[in-house]
Amino acid sequence: MTQCPHAAGGSVPLSGPRFQTEPAQLYREIRRDHGAVAPVVLDGGLPAWLVLDYRELHQVTSDPLLFSRDSDLWNQWENVPADWPLLPMIGRKQPSILYTVGPRHAERAAMIGNALEAIDPFALRRFAEEFADELIDRFCSKGSTDIIADYAMLLPARVLARMYGVSDEDGDALVGSINDMIDGRERALAGQQHLGATMLKLLADKHAEPGDDVATRMLADPGGFTDEEVMQDLMVMMAAGHQPTADWMGNSLRLMLTDDRFAASLSGGRHSVAEAMNEVLWEDTPTQNVAGRWAARDTHLGGRHIRAGDLLLLGIAAANSDPQVRVDGSALTGGNSAFLSFGHGEHRCPFPAQETAEVIARTGIEVLLDRLPDIDLAVAAERLTRRPSPWLRGLTNLPVVFTPTPAIGGRT
């Protein structure tokens, strides 16, 4: 077995309830005990480094030659079992943009960016509004619902499926598979396989009947990408576009319903929606930790000796709360967008993808508040729980009550 500098002990397990219940305090303790770069252990006892501080994370993401996205560099592959539940998150020899480096990565990023940038912004918002109204119609007359299960977990996938060219029926079925894949538990590989099969079916449909959609534009790109490459990139785009956006919606609504800073303007202040969404990207970002980067050679980072092939995990949530960056964590950021929630460097989330996610999330929140202006929590805030994942931070439920209103119907 390839040994690691922190294999002998003292490493932090990247699992456990505190990633759900009190991650901010957990990251403060890890930083206190280990510094800017901490030794961690993944499922199966596999070692890695967690980069916690803003400056060090910025350094890692700014140097793609030293800290590569090429996962073949990992010095632990011989210890990874075939059924490792994190394989969908930390893959090997996957022909997706996530693991492509150099000029080919730039070409693929341009292909994806161009396909997303061609989305009609008016159509995007219209679809988001229509699907939001359809979902709200299902529960608005009841006076109560679970916003996560009945709304936030359904809306982004449905909108993205429509924009990408996936049928509404296939889009509905993707939600559970994406969640299983990202949570990295026992159903992760099955979720990944279902998502891949759906994307292959989509490409076959678009070869037979092209349309005005993202998948068709990707297939028509002059870069000469194979169907396998396009399929892999669509999988990344769907997973990265749906789940974090759903969590962005849920976390923002939780903040608006529980934080006194937003209570006064909740029932109709559009500005408060944008403020809450921005605060969430600092304080409660959906993307908590990202895997990762691999050291191309021996180096030093944050006072640690990093060996060639070591895996570095990007501690997005920890870096956003770095006390050197956010001296007063209780103050509103006032629109400051220097957070790292969308990543940094050449492998950051493409700007058109960020814009798409923001439109979907903001539209979903605004339509909900317009339709149900007196919405309120149905349980005490401390009873809200999070999904068991150190990677993405989202609520398992968000039960609410409101004055029942009639469905509007007929707009989809």
Side-chain angles (χ1 to χ4, degrees), residues 1-311:
M1 176 176 177
T2 302
Q3 289 298 315
C4 167
H6 51 272
S11 299
V12 179
L14 201 72
S15 61
R18 295 190 69 197
F19 282 101
Q20 291 79 57
T21 59
E22 48 180 1
Q25 177 63 27
L26 176 60
Y27 294 133
R28 283 194 292 270
E29 293 175 7
I30 296 174
R31 180 181 284 113
R32 178 198 64 202
D33 296 340
H34 298 279
V37 180
V40 295
V41 178
L42 302 174
D43 288 357
L46 298 173
W49 299 102
L50 179 63
V51 184
L52 295 121
D53 280 11
Y54 192 100
R55 183 179 64 179
E56 280 72 17
L57 196 147
H58 194 279
Q59 179 181 346
V60 168
T61 54
S62 298
D63 192 343
L65 295 180
L66 179 55
F67 300 106
S68 175
R69 277 295 289 159
D70 183 1
S71 61
D72 280 356
L73 295 173
W74 197 15
N75 54 29
Q76 294 295 320
W77 278 120
E78 64 186 43
N79 304 313
V80 177
D83 60 349
W84 195 44
L86 293 184
L87 280 175
M89 300 292 293
I90 307 174
R92 188 180 195 186
K93 297 187 181 302
Q94 288 186 6
S96 78
I97 189 172
L98 288 181
Y99 302 100
T100 305
V101 299
R104 192 59 170 172
H105 174 269
E107 294 170 356
R108 294 180 77 162
M111 179 261 290
I112 292 173
N114 292 336
L116 291 174
E117 199 165 21
I119 292 175
D120 182 344
F122 298 103
L124 174 62
R125 182 170 179 86
R126 183 175 71 251
F127 288 142
E129 290 175 343
E130 290 176 353
F131 282 130
D133 279 328
E134 179 186 320
L135 293 171
I136 294 170
D137 276 354
R138 299 178 184 179
F139 56 75
C140 62
S141 63
K142 301 176 182 178
S144 64
T145 195
D146 174 10
I147 288 297
I148 302 303
D150 298 336
Y151 190 64
M153 282 296 296
L154 302 177
L155 182 63
R158 295 193 67 181
V159 179
L160 291 172
R162 177 72 66 85
M163 304 311 297
Y164 289 3
V166 181
S167 69
D168 289 348
E169 180 181 359
D170 289 342
D172 287 344
L174 284 175
V175 175
S177 298
I178 294 171
N179 193 34
D180 288 341
M181 184 179 76
I182 292 176
D183 277 350
R185 301 303 173 192
E186 61 276 0
R187 292 188 51 79
L189 293 175
Q192 183 185 39
Q193 290 165 1
H194 180 261
L195 177 59
T198 304
M199 295 300 103
L200 280 176
K201 178 179 181 294
L202 170 63
L203 294 184
D205 291 344
K206 293 307 167 183
H207 277 303
E209 187 175 348
D212 181 16
D213 51 62
V214 170
T216 297
R217 290 191 287 271
M218 291 173 68
L219 287 172
D221 188 270
F225 299 100
T226 66
D227 278 14
E228 173 70 12
E229 289 175 312
V230 174
M231 182 270 286
Q232 291 284 344
D233 288 351
L234 281 168
M235 289 178 65
V236 170
M237 293 160 63
M238 181 61 74
H242 165 67
Q243 190 62 63
T245 306
D247 290 338
W248 197 4
M249 290 175 59
N251 293 356
S252 297
L253 283 164
R254 182 206 64 82
L255 181 65
M256 297 181 74
L257 292 169
T258 61
D259 194 310
D260 290 341
R261 296 175 297 177
F262 297 95
S265 56
L266 175 59
S267 62
R270 298 268 188 194
H271 185 57
S272 69
V273 173
E275 277 191 331
M277 290 175 63
N278 196 75
E279 291 306 308
V280 161
L281 293 179
W282 278 106
E283 300 177 1
D284 197 22
T285 179
T287 306
Q288 189 171 189
N289 297 298
V290 174
R293 299 293 188 272
W294 287 266
R297 56 175 172 78
D298 287 4
T299 187
H300 287 85
L301 179 73
R304 297 287 188 174
H305 174 63
I306 310 296
R307 297 175 313 142
D310 280 358
L311 167 60

